[in-house]
Amino acid sequence: MKITVINGTEKHGVTYRLKEIFLERFREKAEITEFYLPKDCPSFCSGCVNCILRSEHRCKDIAYTQKIAAALLESDLIVMASPAYVMHTTGSMKALLDHFAYLWMPHRPAPEMFTKRAVIITQCLGAGAKSAAKDIKHSLSWWGISNITVFAGKLMGDIVWEQLADKKRSELTKKMNRLSGQLSCIHYEKPPRVNAITRIKFLFCRMMQKSLHKNDPEYLDGKYWAERGWLGKIRPWRA
Ligand SMILES: Cc1cc2nc3c(=O)[nH]c(=O)nc-3n(C[C@H](O)[C@H](O)[C@H](O)COP(=O)(O)O)c2cc1C
């Protein structure tokens, strides 16, 4: 199996430790590709909208974004790891997610995304891990992923892994081991169920694309939907 990990920070801090504990169980059986932000995508989206109106290959940051997009599309499991910064995900993670606006369902979702699984690992000192996870989940769900597991931890004490109280460190370790235990038992060759929310979002976007395509058959997003048969009876999650 293939796993792609996006680390929202380059720091080998608590998020890194939790993510490492999670991956331990997969190391033998999975091919793991990791990206560290901002190193692996140091630029901000400039808002040129080339990706949306012309092609994702027209992005000025294509050298970074398409490498990450290709790894995401090839993976069976996506792992997104980020600490909470001012109640949200890190700026680097948000900057990467901005680059993938074209993958959102109202534009040109990748059919592969509808059958993927994802896990989001966030943690914070006291409050903000849940909203950081929500920032990431928002993008993932609009990319078409239904099966998203969230881990949002609170340290409530020291913020350095080695200095955490033993009880807290072992509680977090146990929780991460339980999570990786659950996710490593899955038969990844069997696609997950596409949930009702994803289907409703898809139908709503389909209605919009149908009308856009009718008004302007050359409009990129509408054309993309029409070419894949999604304006008819074909659905991206059915093989
Ligand atoms: C810029 C910045 C903003 C932060 N904002 C919050 C916050 O809003 N809520 C919180 O509980 N902790 C906050 N923290 C603390 C971190 O979430 C916490 O120390 C976390 O364990 C850092 O993870 P890391 O070791 O993986 O970097 C913030 C830390 C930084 C550096």
Side-chain angles (χ1 to χ4, degrees):
M1 72 177 285
K2 288 187 177 177
I3 301 180
T4 296
V5 185
I6 312 282
N7 293 280
T9 166
E10 289 174 47
K11 186 178 154 188
H12 286 193
V14 177
T15 321
Y16 174 85
R17 293 304 189 103
L18 295 178
K19 180 264 308 179
E20 286 291 297
I21 296 168
F22 176 82
L23 289 180
E24 234 166 63
R25 214 181 285 261
F26 290 94
R27 293 239 177 250
E28 296 245 302
K29 62 175 178 187
E31 188 185 313
I32 302 173
T33 306
E34 293 208 54
F35 295 95
Y36 286 87
L37 301 173
K39 175 173 69 69
D40 292 319
C41 188
S43 303
F44 289 101
C45 164
S46 64
C48 69
V49 291
N50 270 342
C51 65
I52 290 170
L53 297 180
R54 300 171 79 193
S55 158
E56 60 273 26
H57 300 285
R58 299 289 186 117
C59 175
K60 66 172 176 51
D61 300 319
I62 183 176
Y64 302 110
T65 56
Q66 288 314 301
K67 211 167 144 189
I68 298 177
L72 289 172
L73 292 180
E74 272 185 15
S75 60
D76 301 294
L77 178 66
I78 294 173
V79 180
M80 308 288 277
S82 169
Y85 280 4
V86 287
M87 303 290 285
H88 290 278
T89 189
T90 60
S92 312
M93 181 67 93
K94 174 66 168 64
L96 178 74
L97 295 174
D98 288 349
H99 278 98
F100 293 137
Y102 73 90
L103 279 178
W104 275 48
M105 247 187 270
H107 298 291
R108 302 189 306 280
E112 296 94 319
M113 286 295 185
F114 290 86
T115 51
K116 290 210 185 297
R117 293 172 171 92
V119 57
I120 300 170
I121 300 170
T122 62
Q123 53 76 39
C124 67
L125 175 57
K130 279 190 183 162
S131 46
K134 208 168 158 191
D135 291 335
I136 300 169
K137 191 174 180 185
H138 210 172
S139 273
L140 265 50
S141 62
W142 277 102
W143 293 351
I145 306 177
S146 294
N147 194 296
I148 306 171
T149 307
V150 171
F151 175 88
K154 279 183 192 177
L155 302 181
M156 302 302 282
D158 217 300
I159 54 169
V160 178
W161 181 257
E162 289 77 10
Q163 290 167 15
L164 278 176
D166 289 346
K167 196 172 160 216
K168 178 51 90 177
R169 215 174 28 232
S170 76
E171 174 202 315
L172 289 169
T173 305
K174 244 187 236 163
K175 283 184 179 171
M176 284 319 295
N177 276 326
R178 200 178 314 138
L179 182 64
S180 70
Q182 283 163 6
L183 293 186
S184 66
C185 290
I186 292 172
H187 295 292
Y188 282 86
E189 58 286 352
K190 194 175 163 217
R193 205 176 61 81
V194 175
N195 65 16
I197 293 175
T198 307
R199 288 167 195 261
I200 292 166
K201 281 176 178 164
F202 182 88
L203 289 178
F204 179 78
C205 294
R206 176 181 173 270
M207 232 160 53
M208 186 180 79
Q209 293 301 343
K210 216 170 179 173
S211 140
L212 288 168
H213 186 62
K214 198 173 159 198
N215 290 340
D216 178 5
E218 285 311 304
Y219 180 65
L220 188 62
D221 292 352
K223 222 168 143 181
Y224 177 91
W225 280 65
E227 280 167 6
R228 277 152 191 79
W230 298 348
L231 300 182
K233 286 200 163 27
I234 296 175
R235 298 291 174 264
W237 52 85
R238 283 190 213 128

